[in-house]
């Protein structure tokens, strides 16, 4: 009885100590809707996460860049940047034997929790690689990292840092592959933060300090094949607002200079006679120094192969992500400008030799490439293009530009849609 009494006292003591711990993960925190808010730059050390909660919110194929194969032992966090900054992040395991992975999302609104579960939105950063005990099995975001997304298996421990803004909200899902593991510490590193503009009022006048200078962008237009200058009409829009009037217009120019607001993302739409329309994304998030944009237009001629790298899909699916809107729209505009233009839409997927079991996914990759080409086909029909002017075809992973791709940039170039000109009447 004495032994039993002592044991009960001991466990009650541990429970009391644990209940007073500041950084406690509860079972409910394994679900996105019950995420823990990180209010400081450090959270932890915590107790170990256990299980995936009531809902399996993240799952994907084994080789996905954007999702765990499944949740094992997860905890969700969210945080709000205090200013416009570059964010680095450390996830530091208590036990270096643990293998922590993470997925980072930008909050998208009221349907966010459902969209995550239904795989309708893409994360902004991931690292799902195997733990490296040489660095204490740490993972996170670093400025010097090369890739924004890292798949499972051997790979880098850190993905690239990200620029965040005051007012945004980010959700971080941290998953330990091993059960009965240890906890971790989350460390947020903010750098290069921009001070908010301060308005000082006096009796006689109002003055503003720390103004943010606009960014000057030097734009030049070329024929992609010959590299000769091309006269084009240019329209510049705020990204995701291409349905409204453009910010700037330039008619029949081979080169121009545009003054754009700092800390913004913009779409530059190009239109030239006998060329496919084009859409280029330009960001002024990271610099106030002058930028240059080289626009390369593809001529409309039979046999011409036009690659649209910015038509992007949810990992493993034929659903477009929002960034695909601009390039899809320019294909539709070109088809409307040239009623005699007939095309074949070709879909390609990424499955390089660096990905495990790629040789076993041939049938799956072929069907996915067909589905993605068909998704473009259906978009163009909805945009008012006669289906008799189009066909679609998939090639799976048989025509990758980079068969041994290891960086996200090269993988994106493999994961593409091409337009082949079949006839110009």
């Amino acid at each position: 009885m004495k032994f039993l009494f002592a044991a009960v006292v001991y466990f009650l003591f541990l429970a009391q100590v644990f209940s007073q711990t500041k950084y406690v993960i509860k079972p409910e925190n394994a679900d996105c809707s019950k995420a823990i808010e990180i209010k400081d730059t450090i959270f932890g050390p915590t107790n170990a996460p256990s299980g995936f909660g009531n809902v399996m919110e993240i799952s994907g194929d084994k080789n996905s860049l954007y999702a765990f194969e499944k949740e094992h032992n997860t905890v969700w966090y969210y945080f709000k940047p205090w200013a416009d900054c570059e964010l680095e992040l450390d996830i530091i395991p208590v036990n270096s034997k643990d293998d922590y992975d993470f997925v980072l999302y930008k909050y998208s609104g009221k349907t966010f929790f459902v969209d995550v579960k239904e795989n309708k939105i893409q994360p902004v950063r991931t690292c799902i690689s195997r733990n490296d005990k040489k660095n204490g099995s740490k993972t996170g975001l670093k400025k010097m990292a090369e890739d924004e997304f890292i798949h499972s298996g051997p790979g880098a421990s850190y993905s690239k840092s990200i620029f965040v803004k005051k007012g945004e909200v980010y959700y971080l899902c941290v998953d330990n592959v091993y059960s009965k593991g240890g906890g971790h510490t989350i460390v947020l590193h903010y750098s290069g933060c921009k001070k908010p503009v301060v308005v000082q009022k006096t009796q006689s006048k109002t003055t503003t300090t720390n103004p943010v200078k606009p960014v000057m962008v030097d734009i030049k237009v070329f024929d992609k094949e010959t590299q000769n200058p091309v006269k084009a009409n240019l329209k510049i829009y705020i990204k995701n607002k291409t349905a409204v009037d453009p910010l700037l217009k330039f008619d029949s120019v081979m080169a121009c200079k545009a003054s754009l607001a700092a800390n913004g993302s913009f779409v530059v739409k190009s239109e030239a006679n006998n060329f496919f329309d084009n859409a280029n994304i330009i960001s002024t998030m990271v610099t106030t120094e002058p930028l240059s944009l080289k626009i390369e237009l593809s001529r409309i001629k039979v046999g011409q192969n036009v690659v649209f790298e910015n038509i992007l899909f949810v990992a493993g699916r034929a659903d477009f992500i929002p960034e695909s809107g601009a390039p899809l729209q320019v294909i539709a505009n070109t088809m409307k400008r040239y009623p005699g233009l007939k095309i074949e839409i070709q879909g390609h997927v990424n499955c390089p030799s660096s990905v495990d079991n790629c040789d076993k996914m041939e049938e799956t990759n072929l069907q996915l490439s067909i589905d993605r080409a068909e998704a473009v086909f259906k978009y163009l029909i909805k945009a008012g293009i006669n289906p008799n002017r189009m066909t679609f075809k998939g090639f799976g992973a048989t025509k990758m530009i980079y068969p041994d791709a290891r960086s996200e940039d090269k993988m994106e170039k493999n994961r593409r849609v091409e337009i082949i000109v079949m006839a110009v009447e």
Side-chain angles (χ1 to χ4, degrees):
M1 290 294 292
K2 289 183 178 180
F3 173 81
L4 179 61
F5 177 79
V8 170
V9 170
Y10 175 73
F11 283 112
L12 286 173
F13 170 76
L14 286 182
Q16 183 178 9
V17 170
F18 185 78
S19 67
Q20 293 173 350
T21 302
K22 184 177 180 180
Y23 305 105
V24 177
I25 296 172
K26 299 178 181 178
E28 64 205 52
N29 302 134
D31 289 326
C32 185
S33 60
K34 301 293 184 180
I36 300 169
E37 183 176 7
I38 301 178
K39 297 181 179 181
D40 203 343
T41 55
I42 298 177
F43 187 93
T46 70
N47 54 302
S50 180
F52 61 84
N54 293 319
V55 181
M56 177 71 75
E57 289 150 314
I58 300 180
S59 61
D61 64 65
K62 184 178 180 181
N63 305 307
S64 174
L65 287 165
Y66 309 108
F68 316 132
E69 185 178 9
K70 64 176 182 178
E71 293 180 56
H72 304 85
N73 302 283
T74 52
V75 56
W76 282 85
Y77 299 101
Y78 73 97
F79 57 89
K80 304 172 184 177
W82 63 274
D84 297 358
C85 306
E86 183 173 6
L87 173 67
E88 294 180 285
L89 165 70
D90 283 305
I91 301 171
I92 307 169
V94 172
N95 187 338
S96 63
K97 292 182 180 179
D98 288 335
D99 184 0
Y100 276 102
D101 301 321
F102 74 87
V103 178
L104 179 66
Y105 290 94
K106 181 179 175 183
Y107 180 70
S108 57
K110 293 181 180 179
T111 62
F112 174 75
F113 304 128
V114 175
D115 290 345
V116 168
K117 183 179 181 300
E118 296 182 356
N119 202 19
K120 290 183 177 179
I121 59 174
Q122 182 174 301
V124 293
R125 293 291 187 273
T126 65
C127 187
I128 316 173
S129 61
R130 192 172 300 161
N131 61 320
D132 182 359
K133 294 180 182 178
K134 293 179 181 178
N135 78 347
S137 297
K138 292 187 290 186
T139 186
L141 308 175
K142 276 193 183 299
K143 292 181 182 179
M144 301 304 293
E146 295 183 357
D147 301 323
E148 295 179 351
F149 306 96
I150 301 171
H151 58 67
S152 61
S157 297
Y158 282 81
S159 51
K160 193 170 183 60
S161 58
I162 186 170
F163 289 87
V164 297
K165 286 186 171 185
K166 182 179 181 180
E168 295 176 335
V169 181
Y170 288 85
Y171 276 75
L172 173 69
C173 183
V174 178
D175 180 65
N176 186 6
V177 174
Y178 300 118
S179 59
K180 299 181 181 179
H184 54 266
T185 298
I186 307 290
V187 183
L188 306 177
H189 308 272
Y190 294 101
S191 63
C193 300
K194 298 182 182 299
K195 295 180 180 179
V197 175
V198 179
V199 178
Q200 299 175 338
K201 293 184 178 180
T202 65
Q203 290 183 346
S204 57
K205 61 181 181 178
T206 300
T207 60
T208 303
T209 62
N210 296 323
V212 180
K213 295 181 180 179
V215 177
M216 190 62 66
V217 182
D218 185 22
I219 303 173
K220 295 180 180 178
V221 188
F222 297 89
D223 182 319
K224 186 174 184 178
E225 185 176 358
T226 66
Q227 290 299 300
N228 293 328
V230 173
K231 284 187 177 182
N233 298 326
L234 306 179
K235 295 180 180 180
I236 303 178
Y237 301 83
I238 297 174
K239 188 179 176 183
N240 300 325
K241 293 186 179 180
T242 55
V244 300
D245 292 335
L247 291 174
L248 298 169
K249 291 174 62 178
F250 300 91
D251 294 330
S252 192
V253 296
M254 292 184 289
C256 63
K257 293 184 183 292
S259 179
L260 300 178
N263 302 318
S265 291
F266 304 89
V267 176
V268 182
K269 289 191 175 183
S270 321
E271 178 186 297
N273 288 333
N274 300 315
F275 288 87
F276 274 87
D277 290 12
N278 203 353
N280 295 83
I281 307 295
I282 191 162
S283 173
T284 58
M285 294 284 190
V286 299
T287 182
T288 57
E289 297 299 316
L291 298 172
S292 61
L293 173 63
K294 182 180 181 180
I295 297 174
E296 294 183 311
L297 301 180
S298 297
R299 188 174 292 276
I300 298 174
K301 62 181 182 179
V302 175
Q304 181 70 281
N305 183 335
V306 187
V307 179
F308 288 89
E309 297 170 353
N310 291 322
I311 297 178
L312 303 175
F313 298 87
V314 174
R317 294 169 59 177
D319 299 324
F320 299 114
I321 66 172
E323 284 79 0
S324 302
L328 287 168
Q329 193 176 46
V330 300
I331 298 174
N333 290 345
T334 303
M335 298 289 285
K336 290 175 181 178
R337 286 203 298 128
Y338 297 95
L341 175 60
K342 295 183 178 180
I343 63 172
E344 180 177 86
I345 305 161
Q346 297 185 350
H348 302 268
V349 301
N350 174 70
C351 197
S353 57
S354 58
V355 176
D356 296 336
N357 299 322
C358 190
D359 56 335
K360 298 178 181 178
M361 299 169 63
E362 183 176 347
E363 189 174 330
T364 301
N365 287 333
L366 176 60
Q367 188 58 53
L368 179 58
S369 68
I370 294 171
D371 291 345
R372 287 177 171 176
E374 186 179 16
V376 176
F377 178 80
K378 289 179 177 178
Y379 174 94
L380 294 174
I381 291 175
K382 192 173 181 179
I385 308 303
N386 188 329
N388 294 328
R389 298 172 57 194
M390 304 177 290
T391 59
F392 62 89
K393 189 176 183 179
F395 290 87
T398 61
K399 294 189 175 184
M400 288 184 291
I401 298 171
Y402 297 100
D404 192 32
R406 293 180 182 272
S407 70
E408 174 59 21
D409 178 62
K410 290 182 178 180
M411 289 183 181
E412 277 197 357
K413 286 181 170 60
N414 286 339
R415 193 185 301 118
R416 67 197 186 279
V417 170
E418 298 183 6
I419 301 296
I420 310 298
V421 178
M422 305 304 291
V424 184
E425 299 173 357

